[in-house]
Amino acid sequence: MNVKLIIEYDGTAYNGWQRQKNHPSIQETLENAIYSITGEKAHIIGSGRTDAGVHALSQVANFKTNTRIPLDKLPYAINSKLPEDIVVKHAEKVSEDFHARFYAKAKIYTYTIYNAPFSS
C-alpha cells in the first residue's frame, strides 16, 4: 500500500529533510518512527527537500507499507514515536504510482526575517 502523509514540523533541530550521515533529519526521524511501529524499513519520499532549520506546515510525503494499522489510526501511531517538533497530520492511501515529489502541483514558501537590534 502506498501511503500519503501530510507532515508539519519545526526544523530548528534538524539538518533539513534528507537523511544525512551524522546529522539528524526529518526523513530519518520519520523513517525510524515508522520502523518502530511497523517493523518495516520504509523509505519516505518528500515533496521536496528543505535546508537546515526550515519549518513546514503541510509537507506531503509518501511511503510504501504492508502495515495492518488502519489509515485513520496511522498518524496517531507514528506520532507516538515522534518528537514533539514533528507531527503527522493526515494519512491516506494513494495509487501505487503516486510520488510526492513528481505529483506536487505547487509549493508555497514563506520567508520570515527577524532584524534584531545589534548590541556590542
Side-chain angles (χ1 to χ4, degrees):
M1 168 172 54
N2 194 9
V3 177
K4 173 181 157 184
L5 301 177
I6 306 295
I7 306 160
E8 181 173 300
Y9 54 86
D10 176 336
T12 303
Y14 302 93
N15 212 40
W17 169 267
Q18 192 170 21
R19 182 181 283 271
Q20 300 176 36
K21 285 186 177 182
N22 304 318
H23 298 288
S25 72
I26 301 297
Q27 180 185 33
E28 174 185 22
T29 305
L30 283 164
E31 288 174 349
N32 290 343
I34 291 168
Y35 178 76
S36 70
I37 62 164
T38 67
E40 300 171 344
K41 291 192 176 196
H43 172 67
I44 297 188
I45 299 166
S47 57
R49 295 185 287 184
T50 58
D51 292 332
V54 171
H55 315 311
L57 294 176
S58 291
Q59 183 163 356
V60 176
N62 72 288
F63 71 101
K64 299 203 175 173
T65 182
N66 291 313
T67 188
R68 292 181 175 220
I69 299 170
L71 282 174
D72 63 326
K73 304 292 185 208
L74 192 57
Y76 297 101
I78 297 171
N79 288 335
S80 74
K81 301 297 182 181
L82 288 173
E84 290 183 3
D85 52 5
I86 303 175
V87 176
V88 173
K89 298 183 342 182
H90 178 75
E92 67 181 89
K93 183 178 178 180
V94 290
S95 66
E96 286 299 312
D97 67 337
F98 178 85
H99 188 287
R101 188 176 66 189
F102 299 138
Y103 274 57
K105 293 180 181 167
K107 297 177 186 177
I108 299 171
Y109 298 91
T110 302
Y111 297 89
T112 305
I113 299 170
Y114 175 65
N115 288 320
F118 177 76
S119 61
S120 52

